[in-house]
Every structure is written in C-alpha cells, then in structure tokens.
Amino acid sequence: MLRGTGATLTLVGGDVEALTRWTSAARSAGFTRVAVAPGPAALTGEALAQLVAAGVGALRARLYAADSGAHDWHAKLEGSFRTTTTLLRAARALRVPATVRTPLTRSNARVLAALPGLLVDVAAVGWCVEVIAEDEREPAGGLVPRLGVGLPYALQAIAAAERAGLAAAVEGAPACLLGPLREREVPSPARAFAGCCDDCGLRGGCVGIDAGYLQRFGAGELVVRGRTAAEPAAPGPRARRLQDMFSGPCLEIAEGACWPI
Ligand code: SF4
C-alpha cells in the first residue's frame, strides 16, 4: 500500500499515462510532492506539462557530461543528451524545480568541470555527483574510477558549482576523502569497511567503500582519522537542504526505462 509521510516521492521510469496515475495515487496517499525521474530517453516538454497539471512538482534528471558525445556514450542512447537538456529547459520554463545526478566514472571525471555551467543555464536547483559501485552489467572495473584520481575532479567541480550559486552534493564517497566538503555528502546505503576503518574516528558518519573496489584496489587510499576527529553533531541547514533534494522514497513504476548504471 502506498502511504505518504509528508515527504517527496520520486517516480522512476514510466510513460505519461502511468506517471499520471501514480501521481494521483501518491498525492492521495499523503505525499506532499511527487517528482518524476525519467530514463535516458527523457520526456517531452509537452509530457512534462501534462504531468505538472496532474500534480507532479519536481524533476530528477541524470547527466553524465555537458556534451552529447560523453553523455550519450554513458547513457547507451544516441540523442539522450539532447532530449534530457530539452526537458530541463522545459522544466525551467514551467518553473518546475529540477535536480541532476551525475555518476562519477573513469570517462567523465576529467570533464565534470563543464557541467556546473550547463546546470546553471538550465536553472537546475541542485546537483549530486555519485561515487558508483562496481556494476554487474559492465565489465568489472570498466567504469569505476580510482577514487584518488576521480574524486578530486568531482570535488573541484562541486566547489565550482557552489561558486556559481548551484547547491551541490556528493554521494557514496568515503568521508576521509572529502576534505572540507564532508558536509556535502548526502545519505546512501552503507558499503564495506576495511580493517583499518575500525580505528577511524569518522566511521560513525561514513558510508564506507564499495566492497568490489576494496577487493580490487585495497585500502591504500583511505585516511584513518583519530578518535578525536570532529563528527558533525547534526546536519546544518546546507546539509539538510541537500538531503531533502537527494534523499527520500523512490518507486520504480516501469521496466525498460532505467539508466544503465
Ligand atoms: S578510514 Fe574508513 S571509516 Fe574512516 S572515513 Fe575512511 S572509509 Fe570511512
């Protein structure tokens, strides 16, 4: 049974008809807001306008890069960049708040710096870079970057996004590798921990590291912090805002429209 808690429910995948039906059900069940997260083919602006009329109040999109070549390669769909950015511009025209997620890969880390400018142009309200886990649908390690190489690019891009006025977050990264941007991390399911993590003062607030990554590369990139390492007592206003944008219940309502990773 669908039961809301006053939170935002994100509907993943689905066509306009199904999304309209589920939006009505979600609002009746008590969710104060419904967001839609279409797959690589996105939605047309007309479809989004219909969904807004039916009660949809937010858009969740995914962009791998600020150019069609890199984005479409990751999305495994030619034209995905064009349809996704067209949808984001339609959301801007309809005044529908849109957030964007970007999985961090070996192939997009070095070009992430171009994304904040595009996201500001389409008036996205928030951006989250995801540290991905090994994916069974890909050759092992084919997309996952070494954290010591890829994550600094992500953190630099997040800092640039903030300078441009865009709220930016990171998900799935070991806390010891975030430096002064630890408060930008949004909650995600816990991963694995290395033996050295037992002595780390940040463990209580750390998501850990992907088990497949740990097995492949070991724990050499992790930086164990002393027991006296400062733990954030409670999420500040910025952290709460990012959590509101990038956490919350999701409902996958259709097969065939999901992202490859
Ligand atoms: S050393 Fe381990 S527990 Fe400590 S922050 Fe890094 S991954 Fe987390």
Side-chain angles (χ1 to χ4, degrees), residues 217-228:
F217 299 118
E221 292 160 294
L222 304 181
V223 184
V224 176
R225 301 302 171 93
R227 292 284 179 194
T228 55

Side-chain angles (χ1 to χ4, degrees), residues 174-176 193-194 196-197 200-203 206-209 222-225:
C176 52
F193 290 91
C196 62
C197 296
C200 180
L202 297 182
R203 171 136 184 185
C206 177
V207 69
I209 189 166
L222 304 181
V223 184
V224 176
R225 301 302 171 93

Side-chain angles (χ1 to χ4, degrees), residues 30-258:
F31 287 96
T32 52
R33 192 164 67 155
V34 176
V36 291
L43 295 164
T44 64
E46 293 75 21
L48 182 62
Q50 283 181 47
L51 292 170
V52 170
V56 165
L59 173 68
R60 313 278 194 237
R62 181 178 294 197
L63 278 174
Y64 288 92
D67 65 277
S68 60
H71 173 87
D72 289 1
W73 181 81
H74 285 89
K76 301 185 186 327
L77 183 69
E78 190 175 345
S80 176
F81 179 79
R82 180 176 49 78
T83 54
T84 301
T85 51
T86 299
L87 178 61
L88 285 165
R89 291 195 167 91
R92 179 183 64 187
L94 291 164
R95 299 184 182 280
V96 175
T99 56
V100 174
R101 284 179 172 271
T102 300
L104 176 66
T105 76
R106 285 169 58 175
S107 302
N108 72 359
R110 288 176 173 78
V111 297
L112 284 184
L115 262 172
L118 171 63
L119 299 180
V120 169
D121 181 55
V122 299
V125 297
W127 180 41
C128 181
V129 180
E130 302 172 0
V131 173
I132 58 174
E134 301 253 354
D135 190 329
E136 293 174 356
R137 287 169 292 181
E138 298 292 337
L143 285 176
V144 179
R146 288 300 297 264
L147 292 177
V149 175
L151 202 49
Y153 287 104
L155 299 181
Q156 287 169 16
I158 286 170
E162 292 184 345
R163 286 195 298 274
L166 177 66
V170 60
E171 182 183 285
C176 52
L177 302 186
L178 294 179
L181 298 185
R182 269 182 58 204
E183 208 188 327
R184 310 316 191 267
E185 181 147 51
V186 292
S188 59
R191 294 179 168 175
F193 290 91
C196 62
C197 296
D198 292 345
D199 299 319
C200 180
L202 297 182
R203 171 136 184 185
C206 177
V207 69
I209 189 166
D210 176 52
Y213 184 96
L214 192 56
Q215 189 175 27
R216 181 185 309 275
F217 299 118
E221 292 160 294
L222 304 181
V223 184
V224 176
R225 301 302 171 93
R227 292 284 179 194
T228 55
E231 290 282 356
R238 184 209 308 265
R240 284 200 302 275
R241 184 166 173 241
L242 293 174
Q243 287 179 22
D244 287 346
M245 286 184 188
F246 295 106
S247 303
C250 296
L251 186 64
E252 192 170 312
I253 62 171
E255 295 181 357
C258 294

